[in-house]
Amino acid sequence: QVQLVESGGGLVQAGGSLRLSCVASGRYFRSYYIAWFRQAPGKEREFVSGVSWSGFTTSYSDSVKGRFTISRDNAKSTVYLQMNSLKPEDTAVYYCARRSIDVMTMHYASYDSWGQGTQVTVSS
């Protein structure tokens, strides 16, 4: 069974940066599509960014494009989300998720394993 553990969240001022990490345990990590989602209070979980198993194909939501960068290190079974120019509207719990099919989708129901989440709070 794959386990995903996120870290790196915290409190930061608007304009600041954070780097989130998602470490996976279990076999065949490099075969998975990995994505970051976020959920703010009272809102639905939304897709933020995703990366293919090779690391060469990445996707971003329009709200974070140009500010966030996703990457992965398969040797360390880790996916990173570098978040720059943070805005108060980025405040949410951030989750990483695994999809066993290496195809991007923004639909959270298509992901079969989730981490416990890490809180990101951006103050104005």
Side-chain angles (χ1 to χ4, degrees):
Q1 176 126 6
V2 172
Q3 285 190 317
L4 304 173
V5 179
E6 303 96 334
S7 63
L11 173 63
V12 64
Q13 288 188 333
S17 298
L18 284 173
R19 188 177 80 156
L20 305 184
S21 298
C22 171
V23 180
S25 62
R27 301 171 66 184
Y28 309 121
F29 172 78
R30 62 184 64 210
S31 300
Y32 305 148
Y33 188 89
I34 302 291
W36 287 95
F37 286 76
R38 66 186 182 187
Q39 188 166 20
K43 294 189 176 181
E44 290 191 354
R45 192 168 296 191
E46 64 171 348
F47 175 87
V48 174
S49 181
V51 60
S52 64
W53 74 268
S54 68
F56 292 140
T57 303
T58 58
S59 299
Y60 299 92
S61 66
D62 288 342
S63 61
V64 307
K65 198 172 295 182
R67 299 188 297 122
F68 291 10
T69 302
I70 192 170
S71 61
R72 68 189 291 166
D73 184 341
N74 287 334
K76 296 182 178 180
S77 296
T78 302
V79 172
Y80 304 98
L81 186 67
Q82 178 67 44
M83 306 187 297
N84 298 329
S85 302
L86 283 162
K87 305 175 182 180
E89 51 263 45
D90 294 318
T91 295
V93 177
Y94 284 70
Y95 300 90
C96 68
R98 180 208 82 169
R99 187 168 194 235
S100 56
I101 302 171
D102 191 31
V103 175
M104 176 270 187
T105 176
M106 292 186 177
H107 300 292
Y108 65 82
S110 297
Y111 291 80
D112 45 44
S113 293
W114 292 82
Q116 83 290 347
T118 185
Q119 176 71 47
V120 171
T121 303
V122 184
S123 62
S124 57

